[in-house]
Amino acid sequence: LGQEIKVEKDRSVFQSASPVTLADRAAERAMRELITERYPQHGVYGEEYGVIREDADWVWVLDPIDGTRSFITGKPLFGTLIACLYKGTPVIGVIDQCILNERWLGLAGEVSTLNGEPIQTDGVVTLNEAEMYSTTPDMFQHGDELNKFDAMRHAVRTPHYGADCYAYALVASGFGADIVVEADLGLYDYCALVPVLQGAGGSISDWNGVELTLQNHEISKGRVLACANAQLHEQALEILSKPGLESSDSLDDPSLTLLKDDIASSTFIPSAQRLTPWVGGIIVGDILEQILHHGS
């Protein structure tokens, strides 16, 4: 897989040394090339190759393989995250799981879909009945952040770990997960999730209820709360927004319609290709190639 370790200062234990594969880089390069070819004035914000034209009205946010640890250990819960922001707000989101042939699509103001079929959240309405996901407890910084996560862990029915972006897709689809609580995420880790959750009837914000946007990323500090409904979201915010918790305590733009039609028309590539980690550009590049070239 050509694995390397990316070391980052001032991150959580989980994020301070994260693996990067050839597939991550090849996939992002392929997406960037396709975006630049079709939309040369758009910005791009990627996990592996940084930011260009961040001040553009339209900015694509890319995570070629969200859940690289799952990817390199053969657990099919990683995914490709593709978002498009309009003036900083996520208006299109794609969660693609190539092994399971599942693709979630969210568009601001419309009902989200899974493989073209409408989806709807179906969660409980009280925390003590809720099933909660987080990728790992190690993503929370020691002190107030970890204390708040610990309070949430004890408030819900059952905490679960290790699903990466797939956990948010489960909440959006009403498949039994009710809440996702995470921290120390990059912009590329959550932008695609926002339209998918909201279009399915869910609620998603930072830990203080602040909208997840490009402009708010530094304020939110990568802390994300996603819930199946507004009732759960409100109850979770009562815990997560508390200061100093002690331990044991519409966008009406014709370009948007064009982008939505491009994405909705894309199809899956053969399973044999999608299972080949060395061709990262094919794993993810096909999504963008068909999105960007449809109707051209």
Side-chain angles (χ1 to χ4, degrees):
L1 295 178
Q3 178 184 342
E4 298 177 5
I5 299 296
K6 177 172 60 178
V7 178
E8 300 178 81
K9 295 181 179 180
D10 301 320
R11 300 296 299 275
S12 65
V13 173
F14 180 69
Q15 300 282 24
S16 61
S18 57
V20 179
T21 69
L22 292 176
D24 289 90
R25 290 173 174 155
E28 186 170 319
R29 283 198 303 271
M31 290 191 285
R32 282 175 173 268
E33 290 170 2
L34 292 164
I35 291 167
T36 301
E37 176 186 343
R38 176 68 182 269
Y39 304 117
Q41 303 306 315
H42 289 198
V44 181
Y45 190 121
E47 179 174 16
E48 308 305 333
Y49 292 105
V51 186
I52 58 172
R53 295 183 291 277
E54 185 176 354
D55 60 347
D57 281 350
W58 295 93
V59 177
W60 294 79
V61 181
L62 312 172
D63 191 349
I65 302 178
D66 179 78
T68 303
R69 289 178 175 86
S70 292
F71 175 68
I72 64 178
T73 56
K75 183 168 64 175
L77 297 182
F78 61 90
T80 297
L81 299 179
I82 303 170
C84 194
L85 315 186
Y86 180 64
K87 295 185 176 181
T89 298
V91 294
I92 294 176
V94 176
I95 306 171
D96 188 80
Q97 212 307 310
C98 63
I99 305 301
L100 302 176
N101 276 359
E102 294 175 326
R103 180 178 298 162
W104 287 263
L105 169 63
L107 174 70
E110 296 194 12
V111 176
S112 297
T113 60
L114 167 58
N115 293 351
E117 297 297 323
I119 57 173
Q120 175 68 47
T121 60
D122 185 29
V124 298
V125 294
T126 58
L127 282 181
N128 63 359
E129 298 178 290
E131 303 291 334
M132 184 183 80
Y133 268 94
S134 304
T135 295
T136 172
D138 289 336
M139 71 193 323
F140 303 97
Q141 297 274 12
H142 286 284
D144 184 60
E145 194 172 87
L146 184 58
N147 292 341
K148 288 178 178 178
F149 166 71
D150 190 55
M152 282 294 299
R153 184 172 63 87
H154 286 92
V156 300
R157 179 178 180 179
T158 313
H160 304 269
Y161 306 103
D164 300 299
C165 63
Y166 200 75
Y168 296 86
L170 293 176
V171 174
S173 303
F175 286 164
D178 303 298
I179 301 176
V180 184
V181 175
E182 299 199 300
D184 200 25
L185 299 184
L187 191 76
Y188 39 77
D189 290 317
Y190 62 76
C191 276
L193 312 173
V194 174
V196 175
L197 261 295
Q198 291 177 337
S203 298
I204 183 168
S205 70
D206 77 359
W207 286 13
N208 290 309
V210 174
E211 183 181 2
L212 296 171
T213 66
L214 177 62
Q215 294 85 350
N216 291 340
H217 179 62
E218 293 302 320
I219 299 172
S220 298
K221 300 180 180 179
R223 297 168 178 168
V224 174
L225 168 66
C227 297
N229 52 65
Q231 295 98 314
L232 278 181
H233 191 252
E234 183 178 350
Q235 293 167 52
L237 285 176
E238 290 180 5
I239 295 174
L240 295 173
S241 64
K242 278 186 180 179
L245 183 65
E246 297 296 330
S247 179
S248 75
D249 237 37
S250 152
L251 296 164
D252 185 16
D253 188 294
S255 300
L256 179 60
T257 301
L258 171 62
L259 291 174
K260 178 258 186 180
D261 291 342
D262 282 346
I263 292 175
S265 68
S266 62
T267 58
F268 294 107
I269 61 177
S271 298
Q273 288 180 307
R274 297 173 72 81
L275 288 167
T276 308
W278 291 102
V279 287
I282 293 179
I283 289 177
V284 184
D286 173 79
I287 301 171
L288 261 293
E289 186 169 9
Q290 296 189 53
I291 288 172
L292 301 178
H293 288 82
H294 170 66
S296 59

